[in-house]
Amino acid sequence: MEKLITSFTERKSFEELLLAEVKVLKSMAKHFVNEKDEMEDLVQNTLLKALRFYEKFSMDTDIRKWLYTIMRNTFINRVNKTSRVMEHHTQIEIAFKNSCSVSTVFSKFISDDLHQVINSFPYHVRQAITMYNAGYKYREISVATAQPIGTVKTRVRTARMILEKKFSLTAH
């Protein structure tokens, strides 16, 4: 019979087990993502889910296998959500490119420059600013990309600062 965590001391023991596995989790994350920020986010999300669902952990279970399963599922869910969001954005971009609502050549040049700068951003920053500009709230972006809300806010802020610097009147 499984021995589930039921007491405060067992919870503390579980937390100590988790802390001992952080280095291993970082190593596991390298198999799923390449960028350091994404690895840290994946480890953080894995730890948060493990803490949230600690009562489902059995002390008879190998914690590494359990954490690996959580990490794998977190990664797969993130990829699936990102794919759906990117598919939606691709449809929006196609609709935008097919519309002829831009009335002046000047606006066209600014739009082209803006898209060129945004496209030069790393993928995760470009994704955050694109979704934010499409009207998504920080929390919605966080859920869709499986990233912590603080990470999303930082990415949007970084993109906005770069754009502001690039397109400010005093920059030229």
Side-chain angles (χ1 to χ4, degrees):
M1 177 151 176
E2 289 184 349
K3 168 98 172 68
L4 297 177
I5 297 173
T6 56
S7 71
F8 177 78
T9 54
E10 289 174 337
R11 168 71 189 234
K12 281 301 203 195
S13 296
F14 174 75
E15 290 173 3
E16 289 171 6
L17 279 173
L18 278 183
L19 288 176
E21 297 299 322
V22 170
K23 190 173 182 179
V24 173
L25 284 174
K26 287 180 180 180
S27 178
M28 282 185 215
K30 290 178 184 176
H31 297 286
F32 292 104
V33 292
N34 295 326
E35 290 187 32
K36 185 178 181 194
D37 290 342
E38 291 183 22
M39 281 184 239
E40 290 173 4
D41 287 344
L42 184 58
V43 169
Q44 181 182 17
N45 286 335
T46 301
L47 289 170
L48 287 172
K49 287 181 181 179
L51 286 170
R52 187 172 3 152
F53 299 110
Y54 78 95
E55 70 277 353
K56 296 185 186 227
F57 177 75
S58 167
M59 295 304 262
D60 303 335
T61 304
D62 180 353
I63 193 159
R64 285 188 183 171
K65 289 179 182 177
W66 190 69
L67 290 170
Y68 179 82
T69 301
I70 292 172
M71 182 177 282
R72 185 193 65 223
N73 291 341
T74 300
F75 175 76
I76 290 169
N77 290 339
R78 184 173 136 222
V79 167
N80 289 340
K81 287 178 186 176
T82 302
S83 296
R84 285 192 301 269
V85 168
M86 293 313 293
E87 181 180 313
H88 175 71
H89 283 290
T90 302
Q91 292 172 354
I92 290 172
E93 286 176 13
I94 291 169
F96 176 74
K97 287 178 182 176
N98 290 337
S99 73
C100 297
S101 62
V102 180
S103 60
T104 66
V105 174
F106 182 71
S107 295
K108 174 79 170 115
F109 286 134
I110 290 176
S111 178
D112 288 347
D113 287 346
L114 182 65
H115 285 294
Q116 186 176 6
V117 172
I118 290 173
N119 287 335
S120 72
F121 291 161
Y123 171 76
H124 59 274
V125 174
R126 182 174 62 241
Q127 180 185 32
I129 192 67
T130 301
M131 291 180 71
Y132 182 80
N133 285 338
Y136 288 91
K137 306 281 188 238
Y138 290 124
R139 177 145 318 278
E140 294 169 327
I141 299 169
S142 173
V143 169
T145 61
Q147 299 295 320
I149 194 164
T151 301
V152 170
K153 287 180 178 181
T154 300
R155 290 174 179 172
V156 170
R157 182 175 179 270
T158 299
R160 291 173 79 184
M161 286 175 30
I162 293 169
L163 290 171
E164 184 177 319
K165 190 180 290 184
K166 178 77 176 169
F167 292 103
S168 76
L169 294 175
T170 59
H172 298 287

